[in-house]
Amino acid sequence: MVCGNNFFCRQGNVNSAMIRTISIRWLLQRVGDMRHSTWLVASSRSCFARSLSTTNQVKAEVEEPLAKVEEPSQSELLREFARMPVQRIRNFSIIAHVDHGKSTLADRLLELTGAIARNAGQHQVLDSLQVERERGITVKAQTASIFHRHKGQLYLLNLIDTPGHVDFSNEVSRSLAACDGVVLLVDACHGVQAQTVANYHLAKQRQLAVVPVLNKIDIKHANPDKVCQDLKLLFGIEPDQVLRVSAKLGTGVSQVLERVIETVPPPQVQRDSDFRALIFDSWFDKYRGALNLIYVLNGKLEQNQDIQSLATKKVYPIKSISVLRPAECPVPDLSAGQVGLIACNMRNSKESIVGDTIHLKNQSVAAAGSYRPQQPLVFAGVFPADQSKHVALRSAIDKMVLNDSAVTVKVDSSPALGQGWRLGFLGLLHMEVFCQRLEQEHGAEPIITAPSVTYRLVLSNPKMIRQRGCDTMDISNAALFPEPHSIKEYYEPLVMGTIITPTEYVGQVISLCVERRGLQQSSVNIDETRVLMKYVLPLSEIILDFHDRLKSLSSGYASFSYEDHGYHPSNLVRLDIHLNGKPVEELCRIVHVSKATGVARQMVLKLRELIPKQMVQIAIQACVGSKVLARETIKAYRKDVTAKLYGGDVTRRMKLLKQQAEGKKKMRMFANIRVPHETFINVLKR
């Protein structure tokens, strides 16, 4: 029994000791020797206590390095924030392709620095919007100020987590305006993707320091050595410079902070000059109005001071100053090089302009000029489901535009849908997320028309040129398309697309690009298994389903990103829809001449299903000028005029049918075709 007792004492696993104690006690009870059983339990309990003590001692030894560094309290950190020297400030962003782990890495950095509690029960803390949690993507760039001790000194790190999808590249460029360096995150399984290339070149254009990091090294199929070679081939990054981490498990995350502090330079700012700051984000609070996220370039800002906008010249009193950690923490002031949130009684997007420079009242400063919003590429009409909800929808759109500076708004109207707006977006996903946020955050119920792009026309009609004051016309609404004899040249927007695909899918990808009128510019083998191709594609061909088709053809392995490539000459026509010979302007659209027949066939088939049967026959025609490209017919309701016949000569039957046909023909001459409001909505919306 003593030997058995020593056996228990040697076990490091407490649970196994307890189980074996209970098992032996049961055995001795079966034998009937209760005295030995009682002695064994007491002895085993002693071993259990010693095992627990040993476990706690090991745990204390593991946690001892963390316990030696006393983390300062919240109030101490905020005091340090006020007197933090510029040399110990680092402003950086995390950039990567979609789903490469940016938000997960941000979570680990926040946990490591004590900004949030470990195992707080919430993942992707900086993805605070409902649409972000539902879709599993980052939509808005989010900021967090964190503190980290390096070589005995406390550093202030302003971290910005950015989206990875190409449609939100405006958020990335906006974030980089307030940064001095970036963490380039690459998935160790999927390697370099299209948006990785685009974001790297965006950072290099701004001359930012790049910290390359490989994520997801814990996954079974990870191949970090191969990805490091890709980084060297594409970007010239040496493999020994690449950090290897697992954001999910927290492996190697502390090295990222150390490398950021050593690699990213402190901000180039002046604290002894007049106050000047850049507004690089804003959002609406129903109690405080427009809140502005600013990057202080010069000087110092304190509460109760008056600031002035360089763009609008309006003056606002500073009501509150805070930093995001990631929750708001009030501070008395902001100094040059720091990022903070101010509330100053701004009301709407016309006053709070992202990219604007603010300064103290009655002081003259130069514009920051380090950020310009991207121009929208995709346009769609937004209309209220009921015109009584027009004011509420307008208020919701104004609040959303305050938070998304890339969206443009113009008043629009439609005979079928009433008063509304024509909004410009950076892509189809951008449009979908914007409209989803309208519904979730503001309770709006908008009708969204099918997306279109802006075409450019060179006019030849002298009268139109005099009216417009120039010979060019940008148009996205087909109803405003001039007659062909008034147009000299047509131009459509193109994009430069970057596609990275496995070699076994190259044939299908090329066929898809040729089908969408694409022109190949280059093709480079990244390694033995992947190819990087560049195509010039018409924007109108990719905004709807190009990305979905590409993913389907490549089994989800291909990636795609694009950038504006300007306007180029094209051959465009206006496709009109006629119902019994009468044009319906709400249903017309602009198409390329090579696609006109296919689009015409799709539209007439869809209308045949949606327009209800009526008392007269309806001929649905899709025309370009006077040429009919497609036609479908909806038969009229017919009464059975021969039901009362019970025999007799066939001429009586033919006479009744002839009278009915003549009556229907006469009715068609003056009958109005009733197209329900729901039909227009179903045809026009996505």
Side-chain angles (χ1 to χ4, degrees):
M1 299 301 291
V2 174
C3 181
N5 190 23
N6 290 337
F7 171 78
F8 287 135
C9 294
R10 288 196 300 269
Q11 299 307 304
N13 191 330
V14 175
N15 292 331
S16 63
M18 292 181 65
I19 292 170
R20 296 185 187 198
T21 299
I22 294 169
S23 300
I24 295 177
R25 178 176 183 175
W26 175 85
L27 180 62
L28 291 176
Q29 282 176 339
R30 299 287 292 175
V31 174
D33 193 354
M34 292 301 297
R35 289 178 301 171
H36 288 285
S37 172
T38 305
W39 175 82
L40 177 61
V41 169
S43 179
S44 298
R45 281 176 180 170
S46 174
C47 291
F48 172 70
R50 286 197 297 271
S51 300
L52 187 61
S53 174
T54 304
T55 304
N56 291 336
Q57 182 180 356
V58 172
K59 184 178 179 182
E61 290 175 358
V62 172
E63 294 181 349
E64 186 178 2
L66 297 176
K68 286 180 180 178
V69 181
E70 285 191 18
E71 290 296 331
S73 65
Q74 184 77 6
S75 58
E76 292 174 345
L77 287 176
L78 294 180
R79 283 198 298 269
E80 287 286 341
F81 179 85
R83 57 175 182 263
M84 182 69 67
V86 177
Q87 291 73 21
R88 285 194 272 132
I89 297 177
R90 301 291 186 271
N91 301 322
F92 71 100
S93 289
I94 303 176
I95 58 175
H97 190 74
V98 184
D99 200 30
H100 278 202
K102 298 179 296 300
S103 298
T104 306
L105 177 62
D107 283 358
R108 298 293 86 76
L109 295 178
L110 292 174
E111 290 177 0
L112 185 64
T113 55
I116 61 173
R118 295 178 185 270
N119 302 321
Q122 180 179 350
H123 302 292
Q124 285 79 42
V125 175
L126 296 182
D127 290 349
S128 56
L129 299 177
Q130 182 181 347
V131 65
E132 291 179 319
R133 299 199 172 278
E134 288 179 356
R135 291 176 176 261
I137 60 174
T138 302
V139 170
K140 283 291 298 177
Q142 299 291 341
T143 305
S145 297
I146 56 180
F147 295 89
H148 183 64
R149 196 171 294 279
H150 175 66
K151 295 182 179 179
Q153 290 186 319
L154 195 64
Y155 283 80
L156 170 62
L157 309 177
N158 293 312
L159 157 70
I160 303 179
D161 180 28
T162 63
H165 198 281
V166 62
D167 281 16
F168 305 107
S169 56
N170 183 70
E171 294 288 320
V172 179
S173 59
R174 176 179 60 74
S175 303
L176 296 186
C179 291
D180 303 292
V182 296
V183 172
L184 181 68
L185 200 63
V186 184
D187 191 328
C189 295
H190 298 100
V192 177
Q193 299 291 310
Q195 201 59 24
T196 311
V197 179
N199 286 338
Y200 174 81
H201 291 302
L202 192 63
K204 279 302 181 183
Q205 286 174 8
R206 291 184 169 273
Q207 299 178 347
L208 303 179
V210 177
V211 178
V213 178
L214 279 191
N215 190 22
K216 304 184 182 181
I217 60 170
D218 58 303
I219 296 179
K220 179 173 64 174
H221 303 293
N223 193 348
D225 294 332
K226 176 177 172 294
V227 178
C228 286
Q229 292 302 319
D230 293 346
L231 290 173
K232 182 178 181 181
L233 175 67
L234 293 173
F235 308 138
I237 298 175
E238 294 297 330
D240 57 352
Q241 299 176 1
V242 182
L243 298 177
R244 303 186 181 191
V245 306
S246 169
K248 180 181 178 181
L249 303 178
T251 308
V253 173
S254 59
Q255 300 176 15
V256 176
L257 288 177
E258 307 293 332
R259 184 69 64 87
V260 165
I261 292 174
E262 295 170 357
T263 305
V264 177
Q268 304 298 314
V269 295
Q270 298 177 352
R271 290 192 169 178
D272 55 354
S273 60
D274 295 334
F275 169 74
R276 185 177 64 138
L278 171 73
I279 299 177
F280 69 95
D281 198 5
S282 62
W283 57 87
F284 187 83
D285 183 275
K286 61 181 178 180
Y287 300 110
R288 296 179 289 173
L291 303 180
N292 297 297
L293 198 60
I294 64 170
Y295 172 49
V296 184
L297 299 168
N298 303 107
K300 185 177 182 180
L301 180 66
E302 298 177 347
Q303 287 193 29
N304 300 321
Q305 287 184 321
D306 291 334
I307 61 169
Q308 188 172 9
S309 165
L310 194 65
T312 64
K313 306 301 181 186
K314 291 185 178 181
V315 178
Y316 307 93
I318 295 295
K319 295 297 184 182
S320 66
I321 303 176
S322 56
V323 294
L324 302 177
R325 287 189 35 78
E328 283 189 44
C329 296
V331 293
D333 54 55
L334 288 175
S335 300
Q338 296 177 342
V339 174
L341 185 70
I342 62 171
C344 57
N345 287 349
M346 287 188 181
R347 297 300 179 193
N348 51 45
S349 59
K350 295 182 177 62
E351 298 182 27
S352 178
I353 304 172
V354 173
D356 188 16
T357 303
I358 59 173
H359 56 89
L360 294 181
K361 181 182 177 182
N362 298 328
Q363 288 184 351
S364 59
V365 298
S370 57
Y371 168 71
R372 292 288 182 273
Q374 295 185 11
Q375 294 301 311
L377 300 174
V378 178
F379 294 84
V382 176
F383 298 88
D386 184 356
Q387 284 299 309
S388 63
K389 300 178 181 178
H390 184 275
V391 175
L393 182 57
R394 180 180 63 190
S395 175
I397 290 175
D398 287 342
K399 293 173 184 177
M400 285 292 302
V401 171
L402 179 67
N403 191 226
D404 195 342
S405 60
V407 178
T408 60
V409 182
K410 290 183 180 179
V411 177
D412 195 10
S413 63
S414 167
L417 303 177
Q419 294 292 323
W421 301 267
R422 193 155 195 85
L423 305 186
F425 305 95
L426 297 181
L428 195 62
L429 179 62
H430 187 202
M431 184 186 81
E432 291 177 352
V433 167
F434 184 91
C435 298
Q436 188 174 345
R437 291 183 66 190
L438 275 179
E439 297 174 4
Q440 293 176 346
E441 299 175 23
H442 302 282
E445 296 178 358
I447 296 172
I448 315 298
T449 65
S452 61
V453 302
T454 298
Y455 298 97
R456 183 165 294 167
L457 310 178
V458 178
L459 304 175
S460 61
N461 189 329
K463 183 178 179 180
M464 294 184 65
I465 294 174
R466 284 196 303 270
Q467 289 176 346
R468 299 186 57 82
C470 62
D471 63 345
T472 60
M473 177 181 182
D474 290 345
I475 184 171
S476 58
N477 189 348
L480 305 176
F481 200 79
E483 293 296 327
H485 59 78
S486 300
I487 303 173
K488 182 179 179 181
E489 292 177 340
Y490 303 90
Y491 290 86
E492 70 173 332
L494 302 183
V495 295
M496 177 64 75
T498 302
I499 302 173
I500 297 180
T501 178
T503 52
E504 59 263 31
Y505 302 111
V506 168
Q508 296 96 308
V509 172
I510 291 176
S511 299
L512 176 63
C513 293
V514 171
E515 177 190 332
R516 300 303 175 95
R517 299 190 285 128
L519 296 175
Q520 188 174 18
Q521 301 297 301
S522 65
S523 179
V524 178
N525 288 315
I526 299 176
D527 50 36
E528 305 84 30
T529 60
R530 291 191 303 160
V531 178
L532 186 150
M533 297 185 291
K534 286 187 176 292
Y535 270 87
V536 173
L537 293 155
L539 179 61
S540 59
E541 297 286 350
I542 68 169
I543 60 173
L544 282 177
D545 61 346
F546 180 82
H547 191 264
D548 294 340
R549 288 281 308 279
L550 180 66
K551 286 290 185 182
S552 177
L553 289 174
S554 63
S555 301
Y557 288 107
S559 63
F560 175 68
S561 70
Y562 61 86
E563 57 187 12
D564 187 20
H565 195 59
Y567 283 84
H568 290 257
S570 184
N571 190 2
L572 306 173
V573 293
R574 168 173 154 166
L575 182 65
D576 292 313
I577 299 297
H578 290 207
L579 300 180
N580 281 355
K582 295 182 180 180
V584 183
E585 287 193 350
E586 294 82 9
L587 301 178
C588 63
R589 60 177 57 186
I590 304 171
V591 297
H592 190 267
V593 67
S594 64
K595 301 285 184 177
T597 303
V599 174
R601 170 56 50 190
Q602 292 175 4
M603 288 199 68
V604 295
L605 288 173
K606 188 174 184 180
L607 285 170
R608 187 185 68 177
E609 300 296 328
L610 294 174
I611 297 177
K613 185 181 289 190
Q614 301 182 29
M615 294 301 294
V616 295
Q617 177 177 297
I618 302 175
I620 307 172
Q621 297 172 310
C623 310
V624 173
S626 59
K627 183 179 180 181
V628 179
L629 300 182
R631 170 180 170 141
E632 288 291 334
T633 303
I634 301 176
K635 296 294 184 180
Y637 282 121
R638 288 188 59 193
K639 179 182 177 182
D640 189 2
V641 294
T642 62
K644 60 185 179 181
L645 296 181
Y646 52 87
D649 190 64
V650 71
T651 55
R652 176 62 178 160
R653 181 184 185 89
M654 300 304 296
K655 179 182 177 181
L656 291 173
L657 293 174
K658 184 178 179 182
Q659 286 177 348
Q660 184 186 43
E662 289 175 352
K664 292 289 186 183
K665 184 177 180 181
K666 185 177 180 181
M667 189 183 295
R668 286 185 64 186
M669 296 173 62
F670 55 83
N672 290 321
I673 300 171
R674 186 182 60 84
V675 181
H677 181 66
E678 292 76 15
T679 299
F680 282 108
I681 293 175
N682 291 329
V683 172
L684 294 176
K685 76 178 182 181
R686 289 199 58 246

